[in-house]
Amino acid sequence: MTRFEGYGVLVTAAGQGIGAAVAHRLAAEGAQVLVTDVDEEAAGKTAAGMRELGHRAVEFVCDVGERASVDAAVAHAVDTFGRLDVLVNNAYACHPDAPLFEDEDDEAWARDLDISLTGAYRCARAALPHLVASGRGAIVSVGSVNGLQDFGCHAYSAAKAGLVSLTRTLAGHAGPRGVRVNLVASGTVRTPAWTDRGRNPDDVRELYPLRRVGEPEDIAAAVAFLASRDAAWITGAVLPVDGGITAVNTGFKGIAD
C-alpha cells in the first residue's frame, strides 16, 4: 500500500519500540518520516535501518519537554519534506508508584505529566498550522488503557487520561480547519519499557482475551489507519488496541504492578 505517498510525517520517541514500528510502517506506505527521539543514537539507528530498506527517513533530536526543541523538530520536518501532514505523539514518561499515594514525589509526578501530556500539547501546537496547510492533516497520539481504567501508575494514568481529553477537545477545534485528531489506547506491548525493567510482558498474557500481549506492529497498524484517508470521517476517537483487556479486565493490576 502507498497510502502516505508524498506525506511528511513526524514521529516522537521513534528510537525504539512503538515509535520505531510506527515510523517503519508509515515509511513502508510511502511517507517521508522525521524520526525524532531525545536519544540521538536511537533515532539515528531507526532512521538508518529505514534508509537501508529504501525508505526516506531523517533523524532529529527532540525533547518534547522543551518548547524550543519541539519547534525546531517541526520546522526541520517542514524544511526537509516541504510539508507536514501527520504528527504522531508517542513520547511518554512513567515512574513506578510509591507504596503509599501520600509518598508520591512531586518531581516525578510532574515529569510524567510534562512528557506524556504536555509534550503532546507542545507538539500539536507547533505542528497544527502546517497540518492545516497540508489539507489532509492528522494527529494520532499513542495513549494507553491506563487512561481508561485502573491499571496502576497514578501519574502516567492521569497523563494518559488527560491525553484522551485533549484528543477530543483538539478534534473539535481542528476539525473545521481540516485536521483530524485521534488516539490509540494501547494495552501491554512487548517493548523495552518492560524488558529494561527486567520484566517479561508475557507474564500477563493470560489476562488478555486474545491470550497474548501486543507487538509494536499492532499499534503501528492502528496508527497508520487513523492517520490515513481510510479514516477520513473519524476524529476525536479513542481506539483501544488492547487484546480486549478493557472489555474484561480482571486481576491485572496486582500481577502487573
Side-chain angles (χ1 to χ4, degrees), residues 139-149 159-171 180-187 222-223 225-226 231 233-242 246:
I139 298 173
V140 183
S141 294
V142 178
S144 171
V145 295
N146 285 58
L148 307 178
Q149 293 181 193
K160 291 300 187 180
L163 193 54
V164 168
S165 180
L166 178 62
T167 294
R168 291 172 175 156
T169 58
L170 187 54
R180 297 179 301 104
V181 187
N182 294 291
L183 179 143
V184 175
S186 169
V223 170
F225 165 67
L226 289 173
W233 209 44
I234 299 174
T235 196
V238 174
L239 174 62
V241 182
D242 64 357
T246 53

Side-chain angles (χ1 to χ4, degrees), residues 16-17 28 33 46 53 64 114 116 127 139 148 152 163 165 170 191-192 221 236:
Q16 61 181 7
V33 181
T46 295
L53 294 172
V64 302
D114 187 53
S116 304
I139 298 173
L148 307 178
L163 193 54
S165 180
L170 187 54
T191 68

